[in-house]
C-alpha cells in the first residue's frame, strides 16, 4: 500500500513514467536486449560452430562474470539516477588489497577486501550527498584517486598470489555442470537481488528514488541514505569482482580491472536499465553482461582487433542511451 501511494505521488507530480510517455523506449528496454542476445549468439555460432561446446561456454561465462558483478553494483547507482565511474579503479584496488592480505589472513582476506571496497563506495556516496555534487564529477575524481592509491600500494607492479591461493582458487577451478562455481554464485546473487526487489516491501526503494527524488523525499524516504547505500553496494560488488579476477589471474595489479569500466556500464544500459534512473533489474544486467561478452568473443572469432572493442562498446552505449533515454524526466537536454 505504501509503495502504491508513493507511485501515485510520483505520477501526480509528473516524475513517474506513464504508459503513454515512452512506449517505444519501454518496448526496446523489455524485448530488445534478449532479441539482440539471440541474434548475436546466432551470428557467432555461424562463424564458429563449436561456440556452444561446454568448453567455450565455460570460457564465455567466466569472462562475463566480472562484468556482471561490476554491472550489478553499477545498477544500484543508475537506478537512483546517478553513475559510478570509479568501480573499475576500486576493483583494481580490491585485487591489490586481497593480494597483500591473503598471505597473512587466508580466506579472511576476501571479507577484508569486500568490506574495504564497500566502505570506499559508501565514502563516495557520502561525498556526493553531503556536497550535493553530481555523481559523475565525484566518481570521476574517485577514479583517479583510488587508481593512484592502488599504484602506490602495489609499487606499480603486478603482485602474484602464492600463499593461500587455494582460498580463492576454487572459484575458478571447481565447476558444476561445466561452468565454474563462481559463475553459479554470481547467478545466485543476481537471483537474490531480483527476489528482494520483487518481493520485499521496500525492494523497489532504489527505483522510487530514481523515478523522482523530490517526491520520494516528500513521501518520507531517506533519499540520502538510499544513495549512499547504492554506492556502498557498488563498492561491495567491485570487491567481489576483484576476488573473482584475482582467482582467474592468480595475481593482482593496480590496473587489472580498468578495462572493464565501459563494458560494465554497457552491460547495465544494454540490458535495459534506463540511464535516467528508476528502471532496471538484476536479470536485465545478466542479459547485458552476456551481450557485452558475446560481442567481445564474437569480435575475436571474427578476427577484430581487440583495440577496436572499446569503440564498439562506446558506440553501443551511445546508441542505447539515445534509444531508451526517458526524455519526459528531462526538461532540458544539456
Amino acid at each position: 500500500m505504501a509503495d502504491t501511494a508513493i507511485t501515485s505521488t510520483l505520477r501526480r507530480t509528473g516524475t513517474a513514467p506513464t504508459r503513454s510517455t515512452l512506449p517505444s523506449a519501454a518496448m526496446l528496454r523489455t524485448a530488445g536486449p534478449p532479441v539482440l542476445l539471440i541474434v548475436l549468439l546466432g551470428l557467432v555460432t555461424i562463424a564458429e560452430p563449436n561456440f556452444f561446446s561446454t568448453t567455450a561456454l565455460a570460457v564465455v561465462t567466466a569472462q562475463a562474470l566480472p562484468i556482471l558483478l561490476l554491472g550489478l553494483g553499477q545498477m544500484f547507482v543508475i537506478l537512483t539516477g546517478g553513475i559510478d565511474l570509479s568501480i573499475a579503479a576500486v576493483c583494481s584496488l580490491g585485487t591489490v588489497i586481497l593480494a597483500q592480505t591473503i598471505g597473512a589472513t587466508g580466506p579472511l582476506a576476501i571479507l577484508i577486501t569486500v568490506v574495504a571496497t564497500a566502505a570506499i563506495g559508501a565514502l563516495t556516496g557520502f561525498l556526493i550527498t553531503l556536497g550535493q555534487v553530481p555523481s559523475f564529477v565525484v566518481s570521476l575524481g574517485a577514479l583517479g584517486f583510488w587508481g593512484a592509491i592502488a599504484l602506490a600500494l602495489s609499487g606499480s607492479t603486478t603482485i602474484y598470489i602464492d600463499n593461500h591461493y587455494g582460498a580463492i582458487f576454487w572459484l575458478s577451478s571447481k565447476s558444476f555442470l561445466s561452468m565454474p562455481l563462481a559463475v553459479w554464485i554470481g547467478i545466485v546473487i543476481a537471483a537474490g537481488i531480483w527476489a528482494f526487489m520483487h518481493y520485499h516491501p521496500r525492494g523497489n526503494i532504489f527505483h522510487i528514488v530514481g523515478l523522482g527524488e523530490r517526491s520520494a523525499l516528500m513521501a518520507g524516504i531517506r533519499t540520502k541514505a538510499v544513495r549512499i547505500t547504492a554506492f556502498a553496494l557498488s563498492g561491495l560488488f567491485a570487491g567481489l569482482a576483484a576476488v573473482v579476477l584475482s582467482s582467474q589471474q592468480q595475481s593482482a595489479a593496480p590496473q587489472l580491472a580498468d578495462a572493464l569500466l565501459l563494458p560494465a556500464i554497457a552491460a547495465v544500459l544494454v540490458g535495459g536499465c534506463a540511464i535516467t534512473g528508476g528502471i532496471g533489474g538484476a536479470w536485465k544486467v545478466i542479459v547485458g553482461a552476456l551481450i557485452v561478452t558475446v560481442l567481445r568473443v564474437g569480435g575475436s572469432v571474427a578476427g577484430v582487433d581487440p583495440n577496436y572493442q572499446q569503440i564498439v562498446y562506446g558506440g553501443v552505449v551511445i546508441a542505447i542511451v539515445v534509444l531508451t533515454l526517458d526524455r519526459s524526466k528531462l526538461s532540458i537536454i544539456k
Side-chain angles (χ1 to χ4, degrees), residues 47-68:
E48 178 51 67
N50 294 325
F51 179 74
F52 276 102
S53 67
T54 55
T55 302
L57 290 176
V59 172
V60 170
T61 54
Q63 289 186 13
L65 182 58
I67 297 174
L68 170 63

Side-chain angles (χ1 to χ4, degrees), residues 140-168:
L140 181 62
L143 182 155
F145 180 83
W146 297 117
I149 294 294
L151 285 169
L153 289 179
S154 65
S156 302
T157 61
T158 299
I159 304 174
Y160 294 97
I161 303 175
D162 297 321
N163 295 332
H164 292 290
Y165 176 56
I168 58 173

Side-chain angles (χ1 to χ4, degrees), residues 60-259:
V60 170
T61 54
Q63 289 186 13
L65 182 58
I67 297 174
L68 170 63
L69 292 173
L70 289 173
L72 287 172
Q74 185 73 254
M75 176 195 70
F76 289 103
V77 177
I78 288 180
L79 281 176
T80 63
I83 193 166
D84 187 0
L85 299 179
S86 66
I87 52 169
V90 173
C91 181
S92 296
L93 175 60
T95 67
V96 174
I97 295 173
L98 179 70
Q100 293 186 335
T101 57
I102 195 170
T105 62
L108 186 60
I110 298 175
L111 179 61
I112 294 173
T113 300
V114 172
V115 170
T117 55
I120 290 172
L123 177 60
T124 302
F126 178 77
L127 292 174
I128 290 169
T129 56
L130 178 67
Q132 291 297 294
V133 181
S135 58
F136 177 89
V137 176
V138 177
S139 62
L140 181 62
L143 182 155
F145 180 83
W146 297 117
I149 294 294
L151 285 169
L153 289 179
S154 65
S156 302
T157 61
T158 299
I159 304 174
Y160 294 97
I161 303 175
D162 297 321
N163 295 332
H164 292 290
Y165 176 56
I168 58 173
F169 177 63
W170 61 274
L171 288 168
S172 56
S173 63
K174 303 293 183 180
S175 62
F176 176 70
L177 296 179
S178 301
M179 289 197 299
L181 285 180
V183 173
W184 291 107
I185 293 174
I187 293 174
V188 170
I189 291 173
I193 294 172
W194 174 85
F196 173 80
M197 288 184 169
H198 192 72
Y199 293 108
H200 194 276
R202 306 293 282 179
N204 62 349
I205 192 72
F206 299 100
H207 298 76
I208 292 173
V209 172
L211 287 172
E213 183 171 358
R214 182 174 299 177
S215 299
L217 185 61
M218 293 174 62
I221 295 176
R222 299 173 60 187
T223 57
K224 290 185 178 181
V226 173
R227 286 189 175 277
I228 293 173
T229 301
F231 277 92
L233 288 170
S234 179
L236 184 148
F237 278 94
L240 292 176
V243 174
V244 170
L245 282 173
S246 295
S247 173
Q248 294 175 345
Q249 304 292 331
Q250 195 177 350
S251 62
Q255 297 175 331
L256 185 62
D258 287 9

Side-chain angles (χ1 to χ4, degrees), residues 17 29 75 78-79 207 210-211 272-281 284 326:
R29 282 192 293 264
M75 176 195 70
I78 288 180
L79 281 176
H207 298 76
L211 287 172
C273 299
I275 189 66
T276 45
I279 299 173
K284 293 180 181 294
D326 189 352

Side-chain angles (χ1 to χ4, degrees), residues 287-315:
V287 174
L290 288 174
I291 290 174
V292 170
T293 304
V294 172
L295 278 173
R296 174 181 293 183
V297 173
S300 300
V301 170
V304 178
D305 190 330
N307 293 326
Y308 290 99
Q309 290 180 3
Q310 296 296 325
I311 298 176
V312 175
Y313 295 144

